[in-house]
Amino acid sequence: MQYQDIAALAKRVKENVAKVMIGREKQMDLILAAVIAKGHILLEDVPGTGKTVMARSLSKSLSCAFSRVQFTPDLLPADITGMSVYQPGSGKFEFVPGPVFTNILLADEINRATPRTQAALLECMEEHQVSEGGVTRPLDTSFLVIATQNPVETQGTFPLPEAQLDRFLIRLGMGYPDEKEAIELMCRFLRSSPLDELSAVAEKEEIQEAQKLFCQCQVSIPVMEYIARLCQETRNPDRVQLGVSPRGTLALLRASQAYAAIHGRDYVIPDDVKHLAVPVLAHRVILRGLYGKTGESEKYIQEILDRLPAPTEAKP
């Protein structure tokens, strides 16, 4: 597989998802970059903007195993990871895998589950494994979590802890359609849902090959210095309570490589970093006195981008 093949793969998936979603090309670029980089995705927006539909459209476009869990306050960790169940016939306990033993897991309304249940995903997301009963069971190498949450609803919800937010490669919103897009949306869904007719356009093996190749995308020293300065600027003690972690720095690097790859390039340019800085870094930053104000964190990252000069050298 070559970088042009990754770009062609991304184009096929975007065109397929566009049969359902309207005017979401920028979001699809970011989501596909996360998929190629093997990073988890947090879709955060108000109800009815297509978060779950986007996740399902993506999963149906990829020939991968898919599981969906509706997070609720009474959901238990074992409902996600699985548990050992006594089998009377054999007289032994046998492990029954949970929905995390899949390729793509849709964690719908993830902030409705209790912290204990949310924490059950931490090991799965970071180490791609489940530890239960003294036994560690590996997850699929392509395991990916797509989580959704509503940022404006607080009743019956439990905010994600910073440790879990830091494990999401990107966070993005869907936004509202404009008038033209709304009319096209109504016409498209007038008689049936195009989601029901969506079929896979990419094999699991193709995704895995792209996931192996993207990390060979070259990054020049000036671009790496630019990434390092961006992350360093988020740790201003006068305005910031929690800045970007080293994991966040590596996340921006990986995402930039994947973003370059889906555009058919074998090297990262400064514009790749600029496109990804807000969705990759904003959810990792907590401003003083503005806990939970995601919009303010995004503005802060954009301020840094506007202030910090970008390098002119791109290709090593």
Side-chain angles (χ1 to χ4, degrees), residues 287-298:
L287 299 178
R288 292 193 179 278
L290 295 173
Y291 180 81
K293 302 290 184 180
T294 56
E296 296 301 320
S297 296
E298 292 173 355

Side-chain angles (χ1 to χ4, degrees), residues 26-46:
K26 292 181 179 179
Q27 287 91 336
M28 272 307 303
D29 277 344
L30 296 172
I31 288 172
L32 283 172
V35 171
I36 298 300
K38 297 197 285 188
H40 307 292
I41 302 161
L42 178 61
L43 300 179
E44 183 179 276
D45 214 322
V46 295

